[in-house]
Amino acid sequence: MGIEAVVFDIGNVLIRWQPEIYYDALLGEDRRRAMFDAIDLHGMNERIDAGEDFREVVYGTADAHPDWAEPIRHWHDRWVELASPEIPGSVRALRALRAAGVQVFALSNIGEGTLALAEARYPFLAEFDRRYISGAMKAVKPSPEIYAMVEADCGLAPGALLFADDRADNIATAAARGWQTHLFEGPEGWAECLVSHGLLKKDDLA
């Protein structure tokens, strides 16, 4: 089956999402490790991805952990610095696909509040034909529910979708549903995948 739409994850595909790097610079690696050991910050973020209010969740977590309250609040107040930089090769691929007439979708575990901040920093996030955002959908990867919602909304057969994500569990669920998949480990491999599927030519990504 031919590919009719390419589906991008956002974090670690189009934008680096490694909060530890930000906190290493802010606190030093040892204090950052101590904070992340004491508090499940990624679990906190998963609540936001699932649709809870961005500020309320972060500030509530900060209030519950007064020893770390100030750096925890950075997760909200300085989020665009946590979610940076963009991954230029992936942005080029997104725009090249659009220029070639290929539909491009986003499927991301991200809150509505965090997406609003990201859009202000990264205009390319408004360039998708369709966006599937977990915080709005109240479903998260790798739950099969969110993939089924994508299929129902876009009306395309699973095999017509090519999905790039940096997490193997997210890829596995998509593949089990019949999607074509690519485990993202860098923009070079993703570019090679798109060229191998005949969606782009190497010159399109120069």
Side-chain angles (χ1 to χ4, degrees), residues 69-159:
E70 193 269 338
I72 292 171
R73 284 193 288 267
H74 283 218
W75 200 286
H76 174 274
D77 298 345
R78 300 179 68 175
W79 186 86
V80 291
E81 296 175 54
L82 272 70
S84 67
E86 68 181 67
I87 300 172
S90 295
V91 178
R92 282 196 298 272
L94 166 64
R95 290 176 166 161
L97 287 163
R98 285 185 57 81
V102 180
Q103 293 187 85
V104 289
F105 302 162
L107 172 58
S108 182
N109 284 354
I110 189 170
E112 291 183 279
T114 45
L115 178 64
L117 291 173
E119 283 181 305
R121 176 76 170 263
Y122 305 112
F124 58 82
L125 293 176
E127 297 176 16
F128 291 100
D129 295 290
R130 297 172 186 256
R131 296 193 308 192
Y132 300 101
I133 303 303
S134 65
M137 299 167 77
K138 305 296 190 290
V140 296
K141 299 176 294 184
S143 167
E145 177 186 8
I146 196 168
Y147 301 86
M149 293 167 77
V150 172
E151 295 162 12
D153 180 77
C154 73
L156 298 177

Side-chain angles (χ1 to χ4, degrees), residues 8-204:
F8 285 74
D9 180 26
I10 294 176
N12 289 326
V13 174
L14 286 161
I15 301 167
R16 186 179 70 187
W17 174 246
Q18 296 178 34
E20 290 85 350
I21 293 174
Y22 171 85
Y23 282 106
D24 280 350
L26 180 72
L27 302 172
E29 185 176 351
D30 289 345
R31 289 194 68 219
R32 186 269 299 170
R33 287 183 181 277
M35 184 175 76
F36 276 66
D37 287 345
I39 307 154
D40 184 8
L41 292 170
H42 286 289
M44 174 191 75
N45 198 69
E46 288 170 5
R47 292 170 57 197
I48 299 162
D49 290 347
E52 294 189 46
D53 183 82
F54 180 27
R55 190 182 189 281
E56 286 182 7
V57 169
V58 175
Y59 272 58
T61 303
D63 290 344
H65 299 278
D67 290 347
W68 297 104
E70 193 269 338
I72 292 171
R73 284 193 288 267
H74 283 218
W75 200 286
H76 174 274
D77 298 345
R78 300 179 68 175
W79 186 86
V80 291
E81 296 175 54
L82 272 70
S84 67
E86 68 181 67
I87 300 172
S90 295
V91 178
R92 282 196 298 272
L94 166 64
R95 290 176 166 161
L97 287 163
R98 285 185 57 81
V102 180
Q103 293 187 85
V104 289
F105 302 162
L107 172 58
S108 182
N109 284 354
I110 189 170
E112 291 183 279
T114 45
L115 178 64
L117 291 173
E119 283 181 305
R121 176 76 170 263
Y122 305 112
F124 58 82
L125 293 176
E127 297 176 16
F128 291 100
D129 295 290
R130 297 172 186 256
R131 296 193 308 192
Y132 300 101
I133 303 303
S134 65
M137 299 167 77
K138 305 296 190 290
V140 296
K141 299 176 294 184
S143 167
E145 177 186 8
I146 196 168
Y147 301 86
M149 293 167 77
V150 172
E151 295 162 12
D153 180 77
C154 73
L156 298 177
L161 301 169
L162 173 61
F163 176 46
D165 196 292
D166 66 303
R167 285 180 46 171
D169 54 349
N170 294 340
I171 287 293
T173 302
R177 297 188 65 85
W179 295 27
Q180 301 190 55
T181 60
H182 174 78
L183 181 62
F184 185 92
E185 297 177 319
E188 297 81 11
W190 179 221
E192 291 173 5
C193 174
L194 295 169
V195 171
S196 71
H197 280 286
L199 297 168
L200 294 175
K201 299 177 182 177
K202 288 185 179 180
D203 292 345
D204 296 331

